Amino acid sequence: EVQLVESGGGLVQPGGSLRLSCAASGFTFSDHYMNWVRQAPGKGLEWVGRTRNKANSYTAEYAASVKGRFTISRDDSKNSLYLQMNSLKTEDTAVYYCACGYYYDSSGYYYWGQGTLVTVSS
Amino acid sequence: QSALTQPASVSGSPGQSITISCTGTSSDVGGYNHVSWYQQHPGKAPKLMIYDVSNRPSGVSNRFSGSKSGNTASLTISGLQAEDEADYYCSSYTTSSTLVFGGGTKLTVL
């Protein structure tokens, strides 16, 4: 059974940093492109970014709203995905999901975690 | 990258069919056959209903179907059921190698 379990959310002050983790199991993590998607309270889904696999040099893309502040990384030996969030703003408050496709590079995300809440507030 | 445009809400009676539109540009919806649709119930993670415009993942009811014409994709739900009441989101791959979601549509089953 595929499982994605996010952790690391919490309350952080504006300008602060936070690192989210996503533990994966039940599939060949190292083959898959991995993604972060967020959802602000009462709002819609927003794509945050993606990291590709080793065969594609672990390249990453980001949404314009987080580019330069957020960094996605992965540790294939630990089947884990990370999201380093710096210079956090109140508008970054959201539930953060990690997600991936059924196929390694699918842009349709079949598997989702339960999400972890990040609250940016003073 | 601007969000794809969806109607804020749609409604229908049980047994009826409804269609949700998702309008983008030639840089996203119109340029690729990588449009997906998600269903999200309150407090739950999204569920993939359609991928690559018109493909259904295993386990998704054939009452759900997808299509695309030009820069607009559509999700049709036939034989509407009470459990279909949820928020629906479209997404598309873009020329910037990013992904963009629609603003979401709230489906009410009357």
Side-chain angles (χ1 to χ4, degrees):
Chain A
E1 179 194 5
V2 170
Q3 279 199 315
L4 298 172
V5 180
E6 301 93 339
S7 61
L11 176 64
V12 60
Q13 292 188 336
S17 297
L18 204 60
R19 189 197 197 204
L20 305 183
S21 300
C22 171
S25 60
F27 66 105
T28 308
F29 177 81
S30 59
D31 286 349
H32 275 66
Y33 294 6
M34 295 298 298
N35 310 270
W36 288 99
V37 176
R38 69 183 181 183
Q39 186 169 34
K43 302 297 184 182
L45 301 174
E46 181 185 14
W47 185 80
V48 173
R50 169 209 306 116
T51 177
R52 293 188 176 85
N53 54 20
K54 181 178 181 180
N56 289 279
S57 304
Y58 298 126
T59 53
E61 280 84 31
Y62 301 89
S65 58
V66 307
K67 196 170 186 179
R69 300 187 299 122
F70 290 12
T71 302
I72 298 174
S73 62
R74 60 192 295 166
D75 185 337
D76 290 346
S77 69
K78 296 182 178 179
N79 286 350
S80 292
L81 174 72
Y82 306 102
L83 179 65
Q84 178 66 44
M85 303 184 294
N86 298 332
S87 303
L88 282 161
K89 306 175 182 180
T90 55
E91 53 263 42
D92 295 319
T93 294
V95 172
Y96 284 74
Y97 297 99
C98 65
C100 69
Y102 185 83
Y103 301 106
Y104 81 96
D105 63 346
S106 299
S107 61
Y109 301 154
Y110 187 77
Y111 301 113
W112 293 72
Q114 85 288 351
T116 187
L117 177 62
V118 172
T119 303
V120 184
S121 174
S122 55
Chain B
Q1 187 74 43
S2 299
L4 306 176
T5 300
Q6 298 181 231
S9 63
V10 298
S11 62
S13 299
Q16 287 187 331
S17 294
I18 62 96
T19 296
I20 300 172
S21 62
C22 170
T23 301
T25 69
S26 57
S27 295
D28 38 64
V29 174
Y32 301 92
N33 288 324
H34 295 310
V35 175
S36 299
W37 288 92
Y38 300 87
Q39 176 191 67
Q40 187 180 35
H41 288 108
K44 301 293 188 181
K47 176 185 178 182
L48 182 65
M49 306 303 284
I50 296 287
Y51 67 96
D52 291 348
V53 176
S54 59
N55 295 291
R56 274 189 313 275
S58 174
V60 172
S61 171
N62 59 10
R63 297 186 298 105
F64 291 82
S65 62
S67 63
K68 189 185 85 167
S69 177
N71 295 337
T72 297
S74 299
L75 173 71
T76 297
I77 308 174
S78 59
L80 211 55
Q81 299 179 0
E83 59 261 36
D84 298 333
E85 184 163 296
D87 293 326
Y88 290 84
Y89 296 91
C90 61
S91 72
S92 175
Y93 187 76
T94 80
T95 52
S96 303
S97 299
T98 61
L99 198 85
V100 61
F101 283 96
T105 298
K106 182 178 180 60
L107 169 62
T108 300
V109 180
L110 302 170

